[in-house]
Amino acid sequence: MNIIFAGTPDFAAEALRALVSNHFNVVLVLTQPDRPKGRGLKLQPSAVKVVAEQLNIPVAQPETLKSAEVQAMLASFQAGIMVVAAYGLILPESVLTLPRLGCLNIHASLLPRWRGAAPIQRAIEAGDKQTGVGIMQMDKGLDTGAVLFELTTPIFEYDTAQTLHDRLAILGGEAIVETLSHLPQYPAVAQSEDGITYAQKLTKNEAQINWQEDAEIISRKIRAFNPVPGAWTFLNDRILKIWMSSASANQIGNPGEIVDVLSDHIMVGTGKGVICISELQLQGGKKLSVKQFLQGHPLHKGQYLGEAQ
């Protein structure tokens, strides 16, 4: 069976590798056009394009799938199914019905929880204890299609969006291989109408730390926004990004107040409890452990993090 694969970032690249290594016949890869990145703003290919070229699979990078020319091109590959993973373009209904068996999406949550753009980050932020990947039959709604197969994983206390992403990417590859290998065994099951939540896209503004919130909430946000966009606050008049922390309910301090400075962590008061910061980055500097940071930027008890001064 001919397969068209549509995806863009690392999460999707892992699934593409899994399909090819398990001898599925991927005849075309769709991915986003090359985008400018880095300080020089040079055009960079997507992670999926890099993998596809390594595997000698034809690549197409249309700006839209709505044009008749693009749809005719897709039809010419006579695909039995299209596999979609974090592609980034809306698939019109005419494309969803183009392959004989339709389009399957690899989604990084246990639907109907966390439909939408940022399911990994929102699961951590909400304090979910478990998440996973689902293989969903795509329809014209936003992640509303019936689910064929799921794999689960716990969310650990130390998970960041990056570590959870990497684990789910591997599970996504395993899930799509299992689904396609035994397709008749996995009938599509309609999603429950209960428990629907939406994972809104992350913004830089929401990543600013509100020290009035509870320590547990702040610590979850720090992990959820690592690596993008990065939870941040102010140290005097400079932006300070906080990359890793844990929460403690056993100590108290005023919101934003540094209550203790130790060799390997900094304790900061919140609306309830304190957070113990272990990795941070001052504007213009590198990401550092607390020990490294304190060598160049001494901090002291009673100092406040928060609004620019």
Side-chain angles (χ1 to χ4, degrees):
M1 178 173 63
N2 290 349
I3 296 172
I4 294 175
F5 183 89
T8 297
D10 291 328
F11 179 87
E14 189 67 38
L16 177 59
R17 289 191 195 95
L19 287 171
V20 174
S21 64
N22 283 274
H23 311 294
F24 287 95
N25 188 33
V26 180
V27 295
L28 174 69
V29 164
L30 295 173
T31 192
Q32 289 269 338
D34 296 357
R35 305 294 188 196
K37 291 183 181 178
R39 292 184 178 179
L41 294 179
K42 294 183 179 179
L43 289 178
Q44 298 291 329
S46 72
V48 163
K49 181 179 179 180
V50 171
V51 171
E53 290 181 338
Q54 291 171 349
L55 298 171
N56 296 314
I57 302 171
V59 175
Q61 298 175 272
E63 292 281 358
T64 177
L65 298 181
K66 295 179 181 179
S67 76
E69 284 185 356
V70 170
Q71 292 180 21
M73 179 271 293
L74 295 177
S76 71
F77 283 89
Q78 299 181 328
I81 205 161
M82 182 186 294
V83 174
V84 182
Y87 179 30
L89 285 184
I90 294 174
L91 273 61
E93 195 167 1
S94 53
V95 171
L96 291 174
T97 57
L98 195 60
R100 178 169 51 87
L101 298 176
C103 300
L104 296 183
N105 178 247
I106 307 172
H107 185 75
S109 80
L110 301 175
L111 294 164
R113 187 156 179 80
W114 302 127
R115 296 174 178 175
I120 297 173
Q121 295 90 339
R122 297 306 183 190
I124 294 175
E125 182 186 16
D128 291 2
K129 301 300 182 184
Q130 179 178 263
T131 188
V133 291
I135 306 301
M136 177 191 69
Q137 186 80 51
M138 296 180 71
D139 59 22
K140 60 183 179 180
L142 175 62
D143 299 330
T144 55
V147 177
L148 285 79
F149 185 73
E150 290 180 328
L151 290 174
T152 63
T153 181
I155 299 177
F156 300 109
E157 292 182 357
Y158 53 80
D159 266 325
T160 64
Q162 186 67 61
T163 62
L164 185 55
H165 164 280
D166 293 349
R167 197 157 69 249
L168 290 172
I170 293 171
L171 287 182
E174 293 174 357
I176 192 61
V177 166
E178 172 65 21
T179 303
L180 294 181
S181 297
H182 305 95
L183 200 53
Q185 296 180 21
Y186 297 119
V189 178
Q191 294 182 37
S192 171
E193 292 299 317
D194 297 324
I196 296 171
T197 55
Y198 288 92
Q200 300 295 332
K201 187 176 181 180
L202 304 180
T203 68
K204 183 178 178 181
N205 286 343
E206 71 175 309
Q208 182 176 7
I209 295 171
N210 177 1
W211 293 105
Q212 301 290 336
E213 292 184 320
D214 292 359
E216 182 60 39
I217 293 173
I218 292 172
S219 190
R220 290 201 306 259
K221 287 183 176 180
I222 288 169
R223 293 185 293 111
F225 300 155
N226 179 352
V228 176
W232 59 279
T233 187
F234 283 104
L235 174 60
N236 298 323
D237 59 348
R238 299 172 72 181
I239 290 176
L240 179 71
K241 287 199 171 184
I242 300 176
W243 294 111
M244 283 298 294
S245 70
S246 59
S248 173
N250 297 327
Q251 292 183 264
I252 60 173
N254 295 323
E257 179 188 11
I258 297 176
V259 297
D260 208 350
V261 179
L262 303 175
S263 61
D264 59 351
H265 65 272
I266 300 162
M267 303 179 75
V268 181
T270 70
K272 181 180 179 182
V274 301
I275 66 165
C276 305
I277 299 170
S278 56
E279 190 174 48
L280 64 175
Q281 180 180 11
L282 192 60
Q283 185 178 8
K286 297 180 180 179
K287 188 183 297 185
L288 299 171
S289 68
V290 164
K291 183 177 181 179
Q292 294 170 321
F293 186 88
L294 292 174
Q295 291 173 0
H297 308 283
L299 299 174
H300 56 82
K301 292 182 185 180
Q303 195 170 355
Y304 276 80
L305 305 180
E307 294 301 320
Q309 299 176 15

